[in-house]
Amino acid sequence: DIQMTQSPSVLSASVGDRVTLNCKASQNINKYLNWYQQKLGEAPKLLIYNTNNLQTGIPSRFSGSGSGTDYTLTISSLQPEDVATYFCFQHNSWPLTFGSGTKLEIK
Amino acid sequence: EVQLVETGGGLVQPGKSLKLTCATSGFTFSNAWMHWVRQSPEKQLEWVAQIKAKSNNYATYYAESVKGRFTISRDDSKSSVYLQMNSLKEEDTAIYYCTTVADYWGQGVMVTVSS
């Protein structure tokens, strides 16, 4: 199975900061990497699919990059509404797997 | 409007069975690859199962943790996907989401396995 390791597990930043969340796969996942945002009490919401494609309706301050085993979600200017847990997800090979999440907080 | 509505959750004893249903509307269900994803009380997301479309011969895939115990199926005439869960264990306790993994997610249904 492909293991997905997210770092950091908790990130505290100020409004307006540029924030970077990391996701490392245990083997090459060929850019088949999605990012989800989950707010308290809600279902996950797709932000980025296949590494760097912004889902319709998602603000442009969110972006994704990466290749091989290393992937990044960047928020260019953190907003209060971005408080949530962020999960990466590989769909390159079965069984599909999620990372353990990064909880993003506002300082 | 797209809707995915999961039903069938509840409290069940270890070793028993439960069947979840996800009724969908608002998108072309017959073409969609459908998944079940669960979230543990510790908030960890786990992919559970996938079923592809008729054009892919309804191929199915499972997480190792549920293989042999859970069965995913679909009824395109009802735009619904199902998860039959047998031999339930306490570690199957979670919120179960029906999803395309991309655009669409249900609100989730709680399954609690406890004696």
Side-chain angles (χ1 to χ4, degrees), chain A residues 13-26:
Chain A
S14 300
V15 172
D17 282 355
R18 182 180 182 88
V19 168
T20 300
L21 286 64
N22 302 297
C23 180
K24 186 175 184 67
S26 58

PDB file of all heavy atoms in Angstrom, chain A residues 13-26:
ATOM      1  N   ALA A  13      -0.790  29.989  11.701  1.00  0.00           N
ATOM      2  CA  ALA A  13      -0.278  31.093  10.897  1.00  0.00           C
ATOM      3  C   ALA A  13      -1.200  32.297  11.032  1.00  0.00           C
ATOM      4  O   ALA A  13      -2.341  32.174  11.495  1.00  0.00           O
ATOM      5  CB  ALA A  13      -0.150  30.671   9.444  1.00  0.00           C
ATOM      6  N   SER A  14      -0.711  33.432  10.589  1.00  0.00           N
ATOM      7  CA  SER A  14      -1.479  34.667  10.688  1.00  0.00           C
ATOM      8  C   SER A  14      -2.227  34.957   9.396  1.00  0.00           C
ATOM      9  O   SER A  14      -1.814  34.508   8.318  1.00  0.00           O
ATOM     10  CB  SER A  14      -0.544  35.834  11.009  1.00  0.00           C
ATOM     11  OG  SER A  14       0.132  35.625  12.230  1.00  0.00           O
ATOM     12  N   VAL A  15      -3.299  35.697   9.522  1.00  0.00           N
ATOM     13  CA  VAL A  15      -4.044  36.123   8.337  1.00  0.00           C
ATOM     14  C   VAL A  15      -3.095  36.882   7.405  1.00  0.00           C
ATOM     15  O   VAL A  15      -2.325  37.740   7.845  1.00  0.00           O
ATOM     16  CB  VAL A  15      -5.239  37.001   8.743  1.00  0.00           C
ATOM     17  CG1 VAL A  15      -5.905  37.602   7.507  1.00  0.00           C
ATOM     18  CG2 VAL A  15      -6.259  36.187   9.540  1.00  0.00           C
ATOM     19  N   GLY A  16      -3.159  36.524   6.137  1.00  0.00           N
ATOM     20  CA  GLY A  16      -2.293  37.144   5.141  1.00  0.00           C
ATOM     21  C   GLY A  16      -1.008  36.388   4.864  1.00  0.00           C
ATOM     22  O   GLY A  16      -0.327  36.672   3.867  1.00  0.00           O
ATOM     23  N   ASP A  17      -0.663  35.430   5.723  1.00  0.00           N
ATOM     24  CA  ASP A  17       0.556  34.651   5.528  1.00  0.00           C
ATOM     25  C   ASP A  17       0.440  33.747   4.311  1.00  0.00           C
ATOM     26  O   ASP A  17      -0.649  33.295   3.955  1.00  0.00           O
ATOM     27  CB  ASP A  17       0.854  33.783   6.751  1.00  0.00           C
ATOM     28  CG  ASP A  17       1.473  34.528   7.907  1.00  0.00           C
ATOM     29  OD1 ASP A  17       1.781  35.737   7.742  1.00  0.00           O
ATOM     30  OD2 ASP A  17       1.668  33.908   8.975  1.00  0.00           O
ATOM     31  N   ARG A  18       1.587  33.434   3.744  1.00  0.00           N
ATOM     32  CA  ARG A  18       1.680  32.379   2.736  1.00  0.00           C
ATOM     33  C   ARG A  18       1.936  31.077   3.488  1.00  0.00           C
ATOM     34  O   ARG A  18       2.851  30.994   4.311  1.00  0.00           O
ATOM     35  CB  ARG A  18       2.835  32.665   1.780  1.00  0.00           C
ATOM     36  CG  ARG A  18       3.003  31.654   0.661  1.00  0.00           C
ATOM     37  CD  ARG A  18       4.176  32.049  -0.231  1.00  0.00           C
ATOM     38  NE  ARG A  18       4.368  31.153  -1.358  1.00  0.00           N
ATOM     39  CZ  ARG A  18       3.760  31.306  -2.528  1.00  0.00           C
ATOM     40  NH1 ARG A  18       2.936  32.307  -2.723  1.00  0.00           N
ATOM     41  NH2 ARG A  18       4.004  30.454  -3.520  1.00  0.00           N
ATOM     42  N   VAL A  19       1.127  30.097   3.211  1.00  0.00           N
ATOM     43  CA  VAL A  19       1.152  28.846   3.975  1.00  0.00           C
ATOM     44  C   VAL A  19       1.414  27.677   3.029  1.00  0.00           C
ATOM     45  O   VAL A  19       0.839  27.612   1.943  1.00  0.00           O
ATOM     46  CB  VAL A  19      -0.211  28.647   4.698  1.00  0.00           C
ATOM     47  CG1 VAL A  19      -0.325  27.255   5.255  1.00  0.00           C
ATOM     48  CG2 VAL A  19      -0.382  29.677   5.796  1.00  0.00           C
ATOM     49  N   THR A  20       2.271  26.774   3.469  1.00  0.00           N
ATOM     50  CA  THR A  20       2.605  25.599   2.662  1.00  0.00           C
ATOM     51  C   THR A  20       2.372  24.322   3.461  1.00  0.00           C
ATOM     52  O   THR A  20       2.892  24.182   4.576  1.00  0.00           O
ATOM     53  CB  THR A  20       4.076  25.647   2.204  1.00  0.00           C
ATOM     54  OG1 THR A  20       4.280  26.816   1.415  1.00  0.00           O
ATOM     55  CG2 THR A  20       4.411  24.412   1.372  1.00  0.00           C
ATOM     56  N   LEU A  21       1.594  23.423   2.879  1.00  0.00           N
ATOM     57  CA  LEU A  21       1.312  22.130   3.484  1.00  0.00           C
ATOM     58  C   LEU A  21       1.948  21.050   2.607  1.00  0.00           C
ATOM     59  O   LEU A  21       1.899  21.145   1.371  1.00  0.00           O
ATOM     60  CB  LEU A  21      -0.196  21.870   3.567  1.00  0.00           C
ATOM     61  CG  LEU A  21      -1.008  22.632   4.621  1.00  0.00           C
ATOM     62  CD1 LEU A  21      -1.005  24.126   4.376  1.00  0.00           C
ATOM     63  CD2 LEU A  21      -2.435  22.117   4.651  1.00  0.00           C
ATOM     64  N   ASN A  22       2.506  20.045   3.255  1.00  0.00           N
ATOM     65  CA  ASN A  22       3.257  19.029   2.524  1.00  0.00           C
ATOM     66  C   ASN A  22       2.625  17.651   2.608  1.00  0.00           C
ATOM     67  O   ASN A  22       2.001  17.290   3.611  1.00  0.00           O
ATOM     68  CB  ASN A  22       4.677  18.952   3.078  1.00  0.00           C
ATOM     69  CG  ASN A  22       5.399  20.278   2.993  1.00  0.00           C
ATOM     70  OD1 ASN A  22       5.640  20.795   1.907  1.00  0.00           O
ATOM     71  ND2 ASN A  22       5.730  20.839   4.140  1.00  0.00           N
ATOM     72  N   CYS A  23       2.849  16.889   1.552  1.00  0.00           N
ATOM     73  CA  CYS A  23       2.347  15.514   1.484  1.00  0.00           C
ATOM     74  C   CYS A  23       3.394  14.678   0.758  1.00  0.00           C
ATOM     75  O   CYS A  23       3.789  15.014  -0.366  1.00  0.00           O
ATOM     76  CB  CYS A  23       1.015  15.485   0.747  1.00  0.00           C
ATOM     77  SG  CYS A  23       0.278  13.849   0.592  1.00  0.00           S
ATOM     78  N   LYS A  24       3.836  13.609   1.414  1.00  0.00           N
ATOM     79  CA  LYS A  24       4.862  12.749   0.821  1.00  0.00           C
ATOM     80  C   LYS A  24       4.326  11.339   0.690  1.00  0.00           C
ATOM     81  O   LYS A  24       3.834  10.753   1.662  1.00  0.00           O
ATOM     82  CB  LYS A  24       6.122  12.748   1.683  1.00  0.00           C
ATOM     83  CG  LYS A  24       7.284  11.992   1.047  1.00  0.00           C
ATOM     84  CD  LYS A  24       8.539  12.137   1.880  1.00  0.00           C
ATOM     85  CE  LYS A  24       9.746  11.474   1.225  1.00  0.00           C
ATOM     86  NZ  LYS A  24      10.141  12.172  -0.031  1.00  0.00           N
ATOM     87  N   ALA A  25       4.436  10.795  -0.518  1.00  0.00           N
ATOM     88  CA  ALA A  25       3.996   9.424  -0.788  1.00  0.00           C
ATOM     89  C   ALA A  25       5.161   8.459  -0.623  1.00  0.00           C
ATOM     90  O   ALA A  25       6.318   8.825  -0.851  1.00  0.00           O
ATOM     91  CB  ALA A  25       3.436   9.330  -2.198  1.00  0.00           C
ATOM     92  N   SER A  26       4.843   7.227  -0.255  1.00  0.00           N
ATOM     93  CA  SER A  26       5.895   6.235  -0.048  1.00  0.00           C
ATOM     94  C   SER A  26       6.452   5.691  -1.377  1.00  0.00           C
ATOM     95  O   SER A  26       7.474   5.004  -1.375  1.00  0.00           O
ATOM     96  CB  SER A  26       5.376   5.073   0.810  1.00  0.00           C
ATOM     97  OG  SER A  26       4.259   4.456   0.203  1.00  0.00           O
TER      98      SER A  26
END
